[in-house]
């Protein structure tokens, strides 16, 4: 099954007071600084942390409810809500998607403890594990309720659970073969894979230990050398054992950085089990250590590495994808990103008109910030974007955006 997220709904999470964002294979957000683009990524990252660690640890990691809740308006908000719709169960579709929503509410206790506040969780799973009507699982306060016609979901009475327990993170006391419980697990596994990729160039330059974890590039790219070794060692059975992924990666690097002729992965003297990256450059004797390479070279290598990942997470978020990258390299990056989006979803932000020029209207999202401090995302529908492109007689999207014809300007 092709699991994917079709849309994100956020209420009162930082500046996202009423955001409903469709998500395709590739979604690129543009707009001025502080428009709320990063908050969209962080809302998804928050759900991922709930799935991995639970609601309260995810809140504590970010400073608590008061830090995450929208701080505009005449009085503090008492509810944060994040919901997604997508395809996870057997009979879900784009027309009848599965849905998940998490609400975290903060309430004051009655007298004499009215100054003390307590958090409550409300959680809903609506799923399609069979051809009939959808099933639902609701976690309200300290009870779990199942609404389903399926025998395997049978739970005649509400089930007692902890007040802040999450169906994403904890095993729920449902029958072992419950179809709804299985669908809940599929959503959780999807959200656990969400990553916000933000390469730390200084960390990426350093040698890294060789380990089984090298199959996945860390969110900060601190294991870049180990991950490159993984890509180099993948052999294509249909092409006589050739290292097709590695050869394609090298071709891309040579295209955007012509001075680089080859990439070498070498053992680190005096550090058993560590590997480092060295670059072979035209007209230079010896090799250049990655520690001595430019910021843009290292970051470009990190990005190309994830675009060539044969087993990517189901959703990768990248902030400011153009940061440190020469404009002439952005066309290739956009192409590789679109190819990678055939295997997994990508949600990225950019400030580069040159990168936006490579996009399709359905991949492009304008973000703005209203006078009340709330984000407006999307500021235009896809149909409105198409209409303005047609009115301009086919000008590239990036040029229209830079001219503020599509909004999202200063």
């Amino acid at each position: 099954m092709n699991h994917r997220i079709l849309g994100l709904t956020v209420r009162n999470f930082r500046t996202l007071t009423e955001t409903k964002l469709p998500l395709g294979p590739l979604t690129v957000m543009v707009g001025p600084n502080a428009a709320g683009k990063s908050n969209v990524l962080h809302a998804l990252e928050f759900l991922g942390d709930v799935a991995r660690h639970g609601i309260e640890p995810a809140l504590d990691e970010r400073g608590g409810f008061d830090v995450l809740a929208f701080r505009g308006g005449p009085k503090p908000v008492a509810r944060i809500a994040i919901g997604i719709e997508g395809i996870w169960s057997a009979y879900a579709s784009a027309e009848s998607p599965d849905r998940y929503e998490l609400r975290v509410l903060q309430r004051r206790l009655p007298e004499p403890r009215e100054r003390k506040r307590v958090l409550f969780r409300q959680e809903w799973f609506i799923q399609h594990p069979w051809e009939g009507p959808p099933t639902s699982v609701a976690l309200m306060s300290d009870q779990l309720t199942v609404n389903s016609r399926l025998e395997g979901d049978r739970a005649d009475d509400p089930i007692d659970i902890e007040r802040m327990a999450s169906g994403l993170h904890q095993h729920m006391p449902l029958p072992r073969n419950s179809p709804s419980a299985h669908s809940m697990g599929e959503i959780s596994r999807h959200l656990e894979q969400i990553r916000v990729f933000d390469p730390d160039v200084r960390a990426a330059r350093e040698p890294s230990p060789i380990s089984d974890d090298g199959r996945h590039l860390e969110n900060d790219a601190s294991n870049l050398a180990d991950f490159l070794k993984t890509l180099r060692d993948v052999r294509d059975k249909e092409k006589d054992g050739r290292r097709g992924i590695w050869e394609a990666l090298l071709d891309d690097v040579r295209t955007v950085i012509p001075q680089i002729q080859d990439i070498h992965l070498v053992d680190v003297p005096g550090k058993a089990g560590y590997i480092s990256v060295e670059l072979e450059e035209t007209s230079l004797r010896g090799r250049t250590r990655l520690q001595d390479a430019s910021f843009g070279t290292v970051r470009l290598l990190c990005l190309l590495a994830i675009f060539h990942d044969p087993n990517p997470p189901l959703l990768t978020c990248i902030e400011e994808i153009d940061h440190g990258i020469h404009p002439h390299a952005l066309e290739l990056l956009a192409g590789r990103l679109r190819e990678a989006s055939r295997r997994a979803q990508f949600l990225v932000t950019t400030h580069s008109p040159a990168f936006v020029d490579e996009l399709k209207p359905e991949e492009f999202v304008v973000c703005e910030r209203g006078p009340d401090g709330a984000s407006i995302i999307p500021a235009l529908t896809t149909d409105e974007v198409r209409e303005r492109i047609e009115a301009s007689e086919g000008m590239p999207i990036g040029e229209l955006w830079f001219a503020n014809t599509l909004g999202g300007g200063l």
Side-chain angles (χ1 to χ4, degrees):
M1 182 184 296
N2 185 17
H3 292 177
R4 61 189 184 277
I5 298 176
L6 299 173
L8 171 71
T9 302
V10 189
R11 297 181 180 89
N12 297 329
F13 181 92
R14 295 180 175 164
T15 64
L16 308 178
T17 59
E18 195 67 42
T19 295
K20 189 169 185 179
L21 177 65
L23 295 175
L26 172 60
T27 304
V28 180
M29 296 185 293
V30 305
N33 295 322
K37 303 185 298 296
S38 298
N39 290 338
V40 173
L41 274 57
H42 294 155
L44 285 163
E45 185 181 40
F46 176 77
L47 285 185
D49 280 348
V50 169
R52 287 184 287 266
H53 309 298
I55 296 172
E56 290 177 298
L59 286 169
D60 293 342
E61 175 69 20
R62 291 159 176 81
F65 181 93
D66 291 331
V67 172
L68 283 185
F70 178 60
R71 292 182 286 110
K75 58 183 180 180
V77 301
R79 181 186 70 179
I80 295 172
I82 306 176
I84 56 172
E85 61 179 30
I87 298 176
W88 298 284
S89 58
Y91 292 93
S93 66
E95 294 73 30
S96 299
D98 297 323
R99 290 185 169 88
Y100 166 80
E101 183 175 350
L102 170 65
R103 296 180 185 175
V104 180
L105 303 92
Q106 182 172 251
R107 297 174 181 167
R108 289 183 177 180
L109 294 175
E111 293 184 11
R113 298 179 295 171
E114 69 275 1
R115 293 189 178 182
K116 185 176 180 181
R117 298 179 181 180
V118 64
L119 295 179
F120 295 87
R121 169 268 303 119
Q122 296 176 348
E123 202 170 26
W124 290 269
F125 296 81
I126 299 174
Q127 302 152 125
H128 299 76
W130 65 313
E131 291 184 274
T135 69
S136 67
V137 178
L139 287 73
M140 306 291 287
S141 188
D142 58 356
Q143 289 189 331
L144 179 151
T145 304
V146 180
N147 183 2
S148 172
R149 298 181 186 178
L150 297 174
E151 184 67 27
D153 284 336
R154 188 60 61 98
D156 296 327
D157 299 312
I159 301 169
D160 292 338
I161 56 172
E162 295 179 6
R163 174 174 52 83
M164 291 297 285
S166 168
L168 288 181
H169 176 60
Q170 281 132 299
H171 174 73
M172 292 292 107
L174 293 170
R176 177 179 299 179
N177 296 320
S178 163
S180 290
H182 175 76
S183 297
M184 291 167 66
E186 292 298 300
I187 295 175
S188 178
R189 281 186 284 275
H190 191 143
L191 294 179
E192 283 178 347
Q193 291 191 36
I194 290 175
R195 69 172 175 187
V196 176
F197 186 65
D198 185 15
D200 179 342
V201 169
R202 181 173 296 180
R205 286 183 170 123
E206 296 300 318
S208 56
I210 300 172
S211 69
D212 292 339
D213 292 337
R215 295 191 303 269
H216 305 287
L217 186 58
E218 297 291 342
N219 292 349
D220 63 356
S222 56
N223 67 331
L224 177 63
D226 192 25
F227 183 69
L228 289 176
K229 178 181 181 300
T230 298
L231 297 185
R232 185 194 65 182
D233 292 346
V234 173
R235 295 183 180 273
D236 192 334
K237 295 179 181 179
E238 296 180 0
K239 296 181 179 180
D240 299 324
R242 286 177 53 191
R243 294 171 171 168
I245 292 176
W246 183 249
E247 292 170 3
L249 174 63
L250 285 177
D251 285 344
D252 285 347
V253 171
R254 292 165 182 153
T255 298
V256 295
I257 312 176
Q259 296 85 357
I260 296 178
Q261 294 301 299
D262 206 350
I263 298 174
H264 299 272
L265 305 176
V266 299
D267 295 331
V268 179
K271 295 187 73 173
Y274 274 73
I275 193 169
S276 65
V277 180
E278 294 180 352
L279 306 176
E280 183 178 328
E281 299 187 66
T282 303
S283 303
L284 294 183
R285 292 187 299 274
R287 298 173 184 168
T288 302
R289 303 182 310 164
L290 199 62
Q291 292 98 314
D292 301 322
S294 71
F295 177 97
T297 295
V298 179
R299 196 165 192 280
L300 189 58
L301 188 55
C302 293
L303 291 171
L304 288 173
I306 64 166
F307 297 158
H308 286 281
D309 187 349
N311 298 298
L314 292 174
L315 173 62
T316 296
C317 305
I318 306 173
E319 194 158 8
E320 296 191 27
I321 192 170
D322 55 283
H323 181 47
I325 307 299
H326 192 283
H328 289 170
L330 294 178
E331 181 179 358
L332 183 140
L333 273 188
R336 293 297 175 264
L337 177 58
R338 185 171 291 113
E339 290 173 5
S341 71
R342 297 170 187 161
R343 302 190 300 275
Q345 285 184 284
F346 283 83
L347 173 63
V348 306
T349 72
T350 185
H351 289 111
S352 168
F355 186 82
V356 174
D357 276 343
E358 305 301 322
L359 301 178
K360 303 173 183 177
E362 61 270 22
E363 299 167 340
F364 173 75
V365 175
V366 179
C367 305
E368 295 181 343
R369 185 89 172 262
D372 60 351
S375 298
I376 306 170
I377 303 175
L380 292 177
T381 67
T382 299
D383 286 341
E384 289 172 328
V385 172
R386 288 195 177 99
E387 289 171 3
R388 298 192 187 189
I389 293 173
E390 290 175 4
S392 72
E393 298 183 350
M395 281 182 63
I397 299 179
E399 291 185 31
L400 289 174
W401 169 56
F402 189 68
N404 209 22
T405 302
L406 299 174
L410 295 178

